[in-house]
Amino acid sequence: MATIRRLIVEVVDARNLLPKDGHGTSSPYVVIDYYGQRKRTRTAIRDLNPTWNEFLEFNVGKPSQVFTDMLELDVYHDKNYGPTRRNNFLGRIRLSSTQFVRKGEEALIYYPLERKSLLTWIQGEIGLKIFYVDEVPILPAPSPPPSDPPVEQVKTDPPVEQPESSGQPDTPANTEAEVAPSPAPEANAGSPDQVPPPAEESAAAEAPKDEAERKNAAAESEKEPECDASAAPPPPQPEEAGVGKDQEEPPHPPAQEDPAQPMQEQQPDFEINFTKWAPGPPVPPAESMMARSASASIPDVKLAHAISAPHPISRTMSTMSMASYASDPPDNIPIERSTFDLVEKMHYLFVRVVKARFLPTNGRPVVKLVISNHRTESKPARKTSFFEWDQTFAFGRDSPESSSILEVSVWDPSRGDVEAAANFLGGICFDVTEIPLRDPPDSPLAPQWYRLEGGGAHNGDLMLATWIGTQADESFPDAWKTDTAGHSNSKAKVYVSPKLWYLRATVIEAQDILPPVMALKEASFSIKAQLGFQVYKTKVSATRNGTPSWNEDLLFVAAEPFNDHLVFTLENRQPKGSVTLGVTRIPLTAVERRVDDRKVASRWLTFEDNKDEKRVYKGRVHLRLCFDGGYHVMDEAAHVCSDYRPTAKQLWKPPVGTVELGVIGCKNLLPMKSVNGKGTTDAYVVAKYASKWIRTRTVSDSLEPRWNEQYTWKVYDPCTVLTMGVFDSFEVFEIDKFKEEATPTRPDFRMGKVRIRISTLETGKVYRNVYPLLLLGNNGTTKLGEIEVAVRFIRSSPTLDFLHVYSQSLLPLMHHIKPLGVVQQEMLRSTSVKIISAHLARSEPPLRQDVVRYMLDADSQSFSMRKVRANYFRIVNVLAGVIDIVRWVDDTRAWKNPTTTILVHALLVMLVWFPDLIIPTLAFYVFVIGAWNYRFRSRVPLPHFDPKLSLADTVERDELDEEFDIVPSSRPPEVVRIRYDKLRALGARVQTVLGDFATQGERVQALVTWRDPRATGIFVGLCFVVAMILYLVPSKLVAMAFGFYYFRHPMFRDRMPSPALNFFRRLPSLSDRIM
């Protein structure tokens, strides 16, 4: 039943409003406009921090409109309270409907009030809760008539008598009187003076009237052919009425289709050339080209063989006289532009087998399809009034050896007796060159009845539809495909990660946990909190009075829907082990949600003994629980993250664009496994961006698979990364081997990964590139093939809004107000990966956990000597520019290029005497450097993994073996000892560098700490002399003198270090005190 969507706005309170009544206060009220409706709250008299707690309800015309409208809220001062003559404006907010959530997900949010114009002074904020609910409308029951009159009297009763019987209960007689008119369509159609029902009962009687009209239409479609059976020359007219009903759109429910079935069984004859029954004049030829149409009472179906369906051909026709579709496509049919514009079109022959009738069998027949070298078989039929399959098959038509004959046959498989052969019931042959070509947005082809020939079913009919289409067809995702070998887990699917929340549990204190007898002894207590597989413990608190205190935050990761319980266990720490004193459980649905750092209300929960059936009181605990929706739950590494939005939908900003990915195919793949002595690969691609995952279909037994699938994601931040991975499916091999749905014993083999940063894409440009599939393993880098993809970014926001994104923080505000530690963040990320992988593994087909962990880089933080050296060289590369500047300054001081040195002196004089030019000169210099480097920008269309930067080609095998070793290590003790000695040597060098940094810092401190009295006295005295000189001499002269002294000619310099540097090196440090 249709639902009515309502938007609920709870106006909670406001803070720090402006005084507007002339006496230092205001009397505010709130006015909200939404979807053409305006509502207001009551007035809070003389209150700058008013509290309303009012619910304002708004109706929404259509469910989709709640996401496309704006909500405007205005706060005014009421002129009736105070000396003001008008309602003074106190602030406003405008909210997009995309921020609204359903009931149960709402949270209290304080929005800062905005000004109406630049000259308006506004302050304060308002707290709101906004959510929508879907309600099922409750229609009043139709009023029964006061008695049981005849049918004609019920129809012609005046409407004024209906309210009198509204209070009578529904009796069986009254119910029969109301349903009785439905079998008499002639009376309904032929009574022009029929009185309409009252206006107040029209909504209640709408559904029964629709039901009656459908029954009348079905009755007329059955009765009218019987009345004119003698006038109609073709005998199988009732069959045609049945065919028309099956082809009408939308189709009738099965319950309304069954009454026509006995008439079909009385007329077993069937003709392929259909003609429409019509009592009036003949239909013009132009209307006969329509595929199908419908009238109010009679299903009106018109068929044209040249467009809607191909002719079945005789079985004795020679196949040599037909040309294949791949070599001779029909050019007379225009092809619409497909929405898959980033990939290549792949043509398929679609066959949709719907149902069959009049088959001489009581079993569950199957349909076999043969074209070229492809043979497949449908699932067994479901036995209803028909033999139903409703299964679609897609045969590839791009290969040159594709045949032009499609054979469809129906077989009755053997039952019980294994040696008995299947019974052939009949078949049909189609010429593929006559099958129509369909491209979206064309409407789907309606299935038609075809007479089976050559088998035991002499009068059997098969309903099917055939057409030529592309991978953009809506039937393609769920169809059986030739390149996937029909495996159920090989279909392309889209997955969505569960919505993750941070659950913050603050354990404050506990009371009454010890009996009075034990109160004199000191005891240690701790709280263990568990949510699923996540277990955390508080610190140990020692107490004598049975009221331990902790004040400790525990952070969990929870996924919607919240079906679990948060369990708190009170433990007494003893020398022999921990003893459980009590347990309490809190359902996650009872936990409050917040989107900022406001404090939620705490609660007291009672501990109980689970082992005791009486639930004895064991004390109570003081907790503060909340879901922190202002954080982004990290499931990827920060530098390759694909989404930075907070969990709470109310804080989401509108998307800035969309990114489209076209997965075209792979080339030169290496065989990953051997089947019957032949190397093969069953490849598929997984892509992940934000919470949306996609998986292409698995192309079986192909080293150059072609997918040509296209997907789209919304982009909320351009500084994000799209990740793709190629895998070899081992599940398909095991299903082929064991011929049953078995659990795979080996994980899918990783073949490589590709990352694309969205900010590197130009707007509207299509990037079609081939990337190598590189896999780093224990034996080094291996190239397993190449993948070809096409990417395009389309900006949907205005240019200024899009550029404004670069000035905003990557992470939400809560990460800066209450930041999480690095170690804690990594632990929570590991938990998020486990939750997401477990969720996606329960999908159908499943996205296996090893695939999810590889896509999310779950093991990227493990120690690697290769990464240590790679990061060191990255730092050296970054500092190379600074080192070049230092070398240039030294060359200038050494007068290696006298012209440059003279120009530097002139620049120094200009900047000293005109210091206002320093910053503009630096900015212009940076501009010149950027413009110069534009000529040498990278010409690579989209950057990929760099083996040279990663040191993947020069790394030693032992270091790779250490990198991919598990924790704890599984290598022999001798190998572990060698690695430990190498790590000690590296640690010694790091220790020396850290000591040098500490020494220089301590020498700076020693300048004024009088650790060396003479050195500190010299430094302090020089500082006094310099201060006196700078007080007396202009600073420009001092800067000029210092500059000329620094750039003096080498003939005036000493080769020894400067006195200042010698003085600094003589200062003491604390390195001599380290043992």
Side-chain angles (χ1 to χ4, degrees):
M1 182 179 293
T3 59
I4 297 177
R5 176 157 292 180
R6 302 183 188 278
L7 183 71
I8 310 297
V9 180
E10 180 183 357
V11 184
V12 181
D13 59 356
R15 304 174 182 171
N16 304 324
L17 298 180
L18 278 178
K20 288 289 186 177
D21 62 352
H23 299 288
T25 62
S26 293
S27 299
Y29 67 92
V30 177
V31 178
I32 299 179
D33 291 285
Y34 179 72
Y35 199 61
Q37 305 166 68
R38 172 174 291 183
K39 296 188 178 182
R40 60 159 289 177
T41 64
R42 58 179 174 83
T43 300
I45 303 175
R46 297 180 182 89
D47 193 353
L48 295 179
N49 298 288
T51 300
W52 291 284
N53 289 323
E54 292 189 29
F55 292 86
L56 303 182
E57 183 175 317
F58 298 89
N59 297 324
V60 181
K62 296 180 181 179
S64 60
Q65 293 297 325
V66 75
F67 300 108
T68 58
D69 210 343
M70 296 291 295
L71 184 142
E72 299 182 3
L73 183 146
D74 297 275
V75 184
Y76 294 98
H77 163 69
D78 197 341
K79 66 179 180 180
N80 296 325
Y81 301 93
T84 59
R85 297 183 178 180
R86 59 187 179 89
N87 295 330
N88 292 324
F89 179 74
L90 297 178
R92 68 184 304 182
I93 60 172
R94 290 171 56 89
L95 300 177
S96 173
S97 299
T98 56
Q99 299 173 292
F100 303 157
V101 296
R102 65 174 63 90
K103 182 176 177 57
E105 299 181 5
E106 72 276 7
L108 177 60
I109 303 179
Y110 284 90
Y111 298 94
L113 295 174
E114 302 173 356
R115 61 181 65 186
K116 186 180 295 184
S117 62
L118 294 176
L119 302 179
T120 308
W121 182 31
I122 295 298
Q123 73 176 26
E125 55 186 7
I126 186 169
L128 303 174
K129 286 185 179 180
I130 306 177
F131 57 92
Y132 61 87
V133 294
D134 293 328
E135 300 177 352
V136 178
I138 302 177
L139 299 178
S143 301
S147 60
D148 298 339
V151 176
E152 292 79 1
Q153 295 180 8
V154 174
K155 292 183 179 180
T156 59
D157 279 345
V160 295
E161 297 180 3
Q162 295 294 333
E164 298 178 0
S165 60
S166 60
Q168 297 180 2
D170 292 340
T171 60
N174 293 339
T175 305
E176 293 176 1
E178 291 181 3
V179 182
S182 60
E186 294 82 358
N188 293 336
S191 57
D193 56 346
Q194 184 177 359
V195 180
E200 61 270 12
E201 296 180 7
S202 59
E206 184 177 356
K209 282 189 174 184
D210 294 341
E211 185 70 17
E213 290 180 20
R214 287 196 296 267
K215 293 184 178 180
N216 295 340
E220 288 180 4
S221 63
E222 295 177 6
K223 292 184 178 181
E224 289 180 359
E226 291 181 356
C227 296
D228 296 338
S230 59
Q237 290 299 332
E239 289 290 331
E240 182 183 335
V243 174
K245 282 197 303 179
D246 292 327
Q247 294 176 352
E248 186 183 2
E249 288 190 3
H252 291 294
Q256 300 178 5
E257 191 176 3
D258 292 339
Q261 187 61 26
M263 295 186 60
Q264 298 173 358
E265 296 179 357
Q266 295 175 3
Q267 301 288 342
D269 296 335
F270 186 79
E271 295 289 342
I272 296 300
N273 299 323
F274 301 111
T275 58
K276 177 184 178 297
W277 172 85
V283 180
E287 298 183 1
S288 64
M289 301 300 293
M290 297 174 56
R292 56 191 177 276
S293 63
S295 63
S297 59
I298 304 177
D300 187 8
V301 180
K302 305 179 182 65
L303 304 176
H305 296 295
I307 292 181
S308 47
H311 290 284
I313 61 177
S314 174
R315 289 181 173 275
T316 58
M317 182 174 294
S318 174
T319 60
M320 299 300 295
S321 61
M322 300 296 177
S324 64
Y325 174 78
S327 59
D328 188 14
D331 298 331
N332 56 346
I333 302 179
I335 300 178
E336 296 289 338
R337 184 175 181 267
S338 173
T339 55
F340 284 30
D341 54 346
L342 296 183
V343 297
E344 304 169 355
K345 282 190 176 182
M346 301 179 66
H347 289 90
Y348 288 86
L349 170 61
F350 290 89
V351 180
R352 182 191 173 195
V353 181
V354 183
K355 55 187 174 181
R357 62 183 179 183
F358 309 144
L359 299 182
T361 178
N362 294 325
R364 302 178 63 188
V366 297
V367 177
K368 296 183 180 180
L369 297 93
V370 179
I371 181 171
S372 302
N373 56 346
H374 301 297
R375 298 174 179 268
T376 184
E377 182 178 307
S378 71
K379 59 186 179 183
R382 300 187 306 272
K383 187 65 171 65
T384 58
S385 57
F386 299 96
F387 298 94
E388 297 183 0
W389 293 277
D390 198 11
Q391 193 172 356
T392 305
F393 303 86
F395 299 91
R397 298 297 299 163
D398 292 331
S399 57
E401 66 274 5
S402 299
S403 174
S404 61
I405 302 299
L406 169 65
E407 298 181 7
V408 182
S409 57
V410 182
W411 296 76
D412 184 15
S414 59
R415 299 184 300 274
D417 190 2
V418 181
E419 298 180 357
N423 183 21
F424 175 65
L425 300 180
I428 315 170
C429 288
F430 292 93
D431 185 1
V432 178
T433 58
E434 296 184 3
I435 293 179
L437 180 66
R438 174 183 176 267
D439 242 358
D442 295 348
S443 299
L445 269 71
Q448 300 185 21
W449 290 106
Y450 294 94
R451 174 59 50 87
L452 296 175
E453 302 175 359
H458 301 288
N459 297 323
D461 302 323
L462 180 65
M463 176 180 281
L464 56 84
T466 58
W467 70 93
I468 299 273
T470 63
Q471 73 271 28
D473 198 290
E474 63 270 11
S475 301
F476 182 77
D478 295 327
W480 181 98
K481 308 173 190 65
T482 53
D483 52 4
T484 63
H487 295 294
S488 59
N489 292 340
S490 300
K491 298 179 181 179
K493 289 295 180 180
V494 176
Y495 306 86
V496 178
S497 299
K499 192 174 183 179
L500 302 180
W501 292 76
Y502 281 151
L503 173 59
R504 186 182 297 272
T506 304
V507 184
I508 303 175
E509 61 177 345
Q511 293 180 358
D512 306 333
I513 61 176
L514 282 179
V517 180
M518 301 178 60
L520 298 178
K521 299 180 180 179
E522 186 179 46
S524 299
F525 301 94
S526 66
I527 296 291
K528 181 179 74 173
Q530 182 173 2
L531 178 61
F533 62 89
Q534 307 173 61
V535 179
Y536 294 101
K537 291 186 178 182
T538 63
K539 60 185 179 182
V540 178
S541 177
T543 180
R544 289 179 178 271
N545 54 8
T547 58
S549 175
W550 294 278
N551 289 321
E552 189 172 348
D553 282 350
L554 305 178
L555 214 57
F556 299 86
V557 180
E560 291 185 356
F562 300 134
N563 299 324
D564 296 337
H565 287 70
L566 181 60
V567 182
F568 289 93
T569 305
L570 177 62
E571 294 182 348
N572 182 11
R573 295 294 183 90
Q574 297 181 0
K576 296 182 179 180
S578 300
V579 178
T580 301
L581 300 181
V583 178
T584 183
R585 300 173 181 271
I586 303 99
L588 296 185
T589 54
V591 178
E592 185 180 354
R593 307 185 186 194
R594 71 174 185 180
V595 297
D596 49 14
D597 60 337
R598 65 180 179 87
K599 280 198 173 185
V600 299
S602 58
R603 62 175 75 176
W604 287 92
L605 298 176
T606 303
F607 282 121
E608 298 176 349
D609 190 357
N610 283 342
K611 300 180 181 179
D612 194 349
E613 297 180 356
K614 298 181 180 180
R615 302 291 183 182
V616 181
Y617 175 75
K618 292 291 185 180
R620 62 177 186 167
V621 62
H622 194 194
L623 302 173
R624 182 180 291 114
L625 304 175
C626 67
F627 283 112
D628 275 333
Y631 288 96
H632 169 68
V633 182
M634 302 289 291
D635 57 350
E636 301 168 294
H639 60 283
V640 292
C641 192
S642 60
D643 189 16
Y644 294 101
R645 290 175 296 168
T647 302
K649 188 178 179 181
Q650 299 94 320
L651 302 180
W652 291 2
K653 298 178 181 178
V656 298
T658 57
V659 59
E660 300 176 354
L661 171 66
V663 184
I664 300 174
C666 284
K667 302 178 181 178
N668 306 321
L669 294 182
L670 297 182
M672 296 291 103
K673 54 182 174 290
S674 178
V675 179
N676 298 327
K678 174 188 175 184
T680 181
T681 298
D682 303 321
Y684 66 93
V685 177
V686 175
K688 193 260 182 188
Y689 185 80
S691 60
K692 179 179 177 181
W693 300 66
I694 65 98
R695 169 179 172 163
T696 65
R697 66 185 187 278
T698 303
V699 178
S700 300
D701 193 14
S702 176
L703 300 181
E704 294 190 358
R706 309 294 291 179
W707 292 286
N708 286 304
E709 299 179 13
Q710 186 168 335
Y711 301 92
T712 304
W713 288 269
K714 288 184 178 180
V715 177
Y716 292 86
D717 195 315
C719 301
T720 47
V721 177
L722 170 65
T723 306
M724 292 173 289
V726 184
F727 303 88
D728 171 57
S729 176
F730 198 76
E731 185 177 7
V732 173
F733 166 71
E734 290 195 343
I735 292 177
D736 288 340
K737 182 178 180 181
F738 299 104
K739 301 299 181 183
E740 60 182 4
E741 297 289 340
T743 303
T745 59
R746 199 205 76 172
D748 291 348
F749 193 84
R750 307 170 179 177
M751 302 186 66
K753 186 188 298 183
V754 176
R755 291 197 185 107
I756 299 176
R757 185 166 290 274
I758 306 300
S759 59
T760 61
L761 304 177
E762 298 181 10
T763 302
K765 181 179 179 180
V766 178
Y767 295 85
R768 183 165 179 171
N769 301 322
V770 177
Y771 298 96
L773 296 176
L774 303 175
L775 185 66
L776 183 63
N778 296 350
N779 298 324
T781 305
T782 306
K783 182 179 178 181
L784 300 179
E786 298 175 340
I787 182 173
E788 184 178 6
V789 297
V791 186
R792 176 174 57 199
F793 173 71
I794 301 176
R795 178 174 55 83
S796 60
S797 62
T799 304
L800 293 180
D801 294 344
F802 183 74
L803 297 179
H804 179 63
V805 175
Y806 283 85
S807 64
Q808 299 177 350
S809 174
L810 276 176
L811 294 174
L813 181 61
M814 282 295 293
H815 286 270
H816 304 280
I817 298 178
K818 298 185 71 173
L820 303 176
V822 178
V823 178
Q824 185 182 25
Q825 184 71 63
E826 191 59 32
M827 292 176 59
L828 294 173
R829 175 176 172 253
S830 177
T831 303
S832 303
V833 171
K834 292 180 181 179
I835 294 176
I836 293 176
S837 59
H839 175 84
L840 297 179
R842 294 192 298 266
S843 305
E844 187 61 35
L847 200 59
R848 303 178 63 177
Q849 296 190 13
D850 51 294
V851 174
V852 177
R853 292 182 61 85
Y854 178 66
M855 293 291 294
L856 296 178
D857 282 337
D859 304 326
S860 61
Q861 301 300 324
S862 59
F863 175 77
S864 171
M865 188 69 70
R866 174 186 61 85
K867 291 182 180 180
V868 171
R869 288 195 281 112
N871 292 332
Y872 171 75
F873 287 123
R874 288 172 57 196
I875 295 176
V876 171
N877 189 26
V878 170
L879 298 178
V882 179
I883 296 174
D884 292 341
I885 294 176
V886 173
R887 290 177 178 175
W888 177 80
V889 172
D890 289 339
D891 293 343
T892 304
R893 291 183 60 200
W895 291 71
K896 291 185 177 181
N897 190 348
T899 304
T900 304
T901 305
I902 294 174
L903 291 177
V904 169
H905 281 77
L907 179 63
L908 175 64
V909 172
M910 183 183 67
L911 294 179
V912 168
W913 290 102
F914 302 97
D916 296 340
L917 299 179
I918 295 177
I919 295 179
T921 302
L922 290 177
F924 183 76
Y925 179 69
V926 174
F927 165 75
V928 171
I929 293 177
W932 179 263
N933 291 336
Y934 182 79
R935 300 171 52 197
F936 310 102
R937 67 187 184 277
S938 176
R939 300 294 182 178
V940 180
L942 287 178
H944 188 47
F945 292 108
D946 190 351
K948 183 178 179 180
L949 179 64
S950 306
L951 303 180
D953 297 333
T954 59
V955 66
E956 298 179 359
R957 297 292 179 88
D958 183 64
E959 294 182 359
L960 288 176
D961 185 71
E962 178 185 7
E963 179 178 348
F964 292 98
D965 191 11
I966 62 176
V967 178
S969 178
S970 60
R971 298 298 182 263
E974 295 80 8
V975 177
V976 177
R977 185 181 297 109
I978 295 175
R979 294 175 180 174
Y980 176 68
D981 293 340
K982 292 176 61 176
L983 188 61
R984 290 179 61 188
L986 176 64
R989 284 184 284 178
V990 174
Q991 169 187 314
T992 303
V993 173
L994 294 178
D996 292 340
F997 275 107
T999 299
Q1000 307 306 322
E1002 291 167 354
R1003 286 174 177 173
V1004 173
Q1005 293 178 347
L1007 289 172
V1008 293
T1009 57
W1010 298 90
R1011 190 177 302 161
D1012 186 346
R1014 286 177 290 274
T1016 304
I1018 295 174
F1019 178 75
V1020 172
L1022 288 176
C1023 289
F1024 178 78
V1025 173
V1026 170
M1028 293 298 103
I1029 294 175
L1030 293 179
Y1031 278 134
L1032 300 176
V1033 180
S1035 58
K1036 293 183 180 180
L1037 293 179
V1038 175
M1040 182 79 66
F1042 177 78
F1044 276 88
Y1045 176 78
Y1046 183 77
F1047 287 105
R1048 67 189 184 277
H1049 198 274
M1051 62 184 302
F1052 300 107
R1053 286 203 203 105
D1054 190 4
R1055 295 184 179 181
M1056 297 297 293
S1058 64
L1061 184 59
N1062 294 331
F1063 177 78
F1064 181 78
R1065 289 176 177 176
R1066 291 176 178 273
L1067 292 174
S1069 66
L1070 299 180
S1071 58
D1072 53 349
R1073 300 186 183 182
I1074 295 180
M1075 299 179 63

